[in-house]
Amino acid sequence: MLGGTIDKYIYIQALPLSPVAEQRFRVTYRATESVQRIEDIQHPVIRETLKLYRWEDPLNIATMSDLPGNTGLGSSSAFTVGFINLLHRMRGIELTRYELARQAIRMEQEILRENVGIQDQIHAAFGGLARYEFSGDTIAIEPLRLTTSRLATLNASLLLVYTGTQRRAIDALDSQHLRTTRGDNRAHLSEMYEMTRTGTQILEASGSDTASVARFADLLDEGWRLKRKLGEGVTNPAIDDLYLEGKALGAQGGKLLGAGGAGFMLFIAEPARHDAFREHFGAGNVIPISMTDAGSTVSCFD
């Protein structure tokens, strides 16, 4: 797997509630909950995480995010990683990045029983642009070694285009999971695996920064062609049209982020082309992004 973290965040705040408060737990996200018992919290990650770590003290929890959820950016796993990290730090415990990722994976896969992978939790815990190898319970991490100018050229070329729709990752994974279980995706996945090696070599190679980013964009384009074959829920006519429109506007390559079906399309295009994207898709639907080294962090205020 080759991937990384971008400069868009989920923020989770937690403050002790006064013992005289009417309810012991107040939770604010898309909805607002005020309940007496943890078991009555409707937000599944917050409820099950508090139960798992046997939290007892009254708590006020609020969440905010730079971008909407269910858009293929790994926000659900980022939230799980962040909330687990926050609860531990409030108890004076600092988990390693590996422990944090593992506990988030356990929460989503074993406790919540969601049909999700492990890449989003790892990205959120570790941060940075890296290539990952998985073998059983072992995770090998190979951070990419980009020069400052190469990273700057890549960052200046990245932009997201919102498809206008949202969905849960598990809704798009059923078809892919069935095909993969039957072995129908074996050849595609093998080719995509080799692409992670090629992509690493391209980004780390010496030479022209502009040419290297263009070659990486071509590889991304080929990866999207393969990903579209993994299952019926990966794409649809509207997404295919949006991708072709982006290419016509000058994108060198791109792909839909996440499991598929909705969310954000990532494009790599020369910075001079970005205004054309904003004019065509609408400024509010085009979001420039940059890669960031930061994984989940906790700030404590006295």
Side-chain angles (χ1 to χ4, degrees), residues 240-253:
D240 289 340
D241 288 345
L242 187 150
Y243 188 73
L244 292 175
E245 291 169 13
K247 293 282 285 185
L249 291 169
Q252 298 161 299

Side-chain angles (χ1 to χ4, degrees), residues 223-298:
W224 172 235
R225 181 189 67 80
L226 287 172
K227 182 174 179 177
R228 294 171 73 249
K229 299 179 179 181
L230 295 180
E232 296 176 357
V234 172
T235 190
N236 57 52
I239 290 173
D240 289 340
D241 288 345
L242 187 150
Y243 188 73
L244 292 175
E245 291 169 13
K247 293 282 285 185
L249 291 169
Q252 298 161 299
K255 68 183 294 288
L256 189 70
L257 297 178
F264 283 97
M265 184 75 74
L266 169 69
F267 285 113
I268 295 180
E270 294 180 353
R273 306 274 187 174
H274 288 197
D275 281 343
F277 278 80
R278 284 185 278 268
E279 181 177 348
H280 180 78
F281 293 112
N285 293 319
V286 178
I287 302 168
I289 59 170
S290 294
M291 306 302 298
T292 176
D293 290 334
S296 176
T297 59
V298 177

Side-chain angles (χ1 to χ4, degrees), residues 131 185-199 219 222-223 225-227 229-230:
R131 183 175 179 273
N185 286 334
R186 185 176 295 112
H188 302 324
L189 293 172
S190 178
E191 190 172 352
M192 293 172 75
Y193 169 78
E194 290 302 322
M195 282 183 173
T196 67
R197 295 181 183 273
T198 304
L219 189 70
E222 179 65 13
R225 181 189 67 80
L226 287 172
K227 182 174 179 177
K229 299 179 179 181
L230 295 180

Side-chain angles (χ1 to χ4, degrees), residues 132-147:
Y132 299 87
E133 290 269 5
F134 306 105
S135 178
D137 290 334
T138 302
I139 303 171
I141 303 173
E142 178 188 347
L144 267 64
R145 300 179 295 274
L146 274 65
T147 64

Side-chain angles (χ1 to χ4, degrees), residues 152-222:
T153 301
L154 175 63
N155 283 338
S157 304
L158 298 174
L159 71 163
L160 300 180
V161 175
Y162 185 43
T163 65
T165 54
Q166 302 174 23
R167 58 93 189 97
R168 298 183 306 160
I170 56 176
D171 295 333
L173 285 170
D174 289 343
S175 173
Q176 297 177 49
H177 180 70
L178 178 61
R179 285 179 53 83
T180 300
T181 301
R182 292 197 310 240
D184 298 343
N185 286 334
R186 185 176 295 112
H188 302 324
L189 293 172
S190 178
E191 190 172 352
M192 293 172 75
Y193 169 78
E194 290 302 322
M195 282 183 173
T196 67
R197 295 181 183 273
T198 304
T200 299
Q201 294 168 357
I202 289 172
L203 290 175
E204 292 185 338
S206 60
S208 165
D209 294 330
T210 301
S212 293
V213 170
R215 287 196 297 272
F216 184 72
D218 289 339
L219 189 70
L220 204 65
D221 192 64
E222 179 65 13

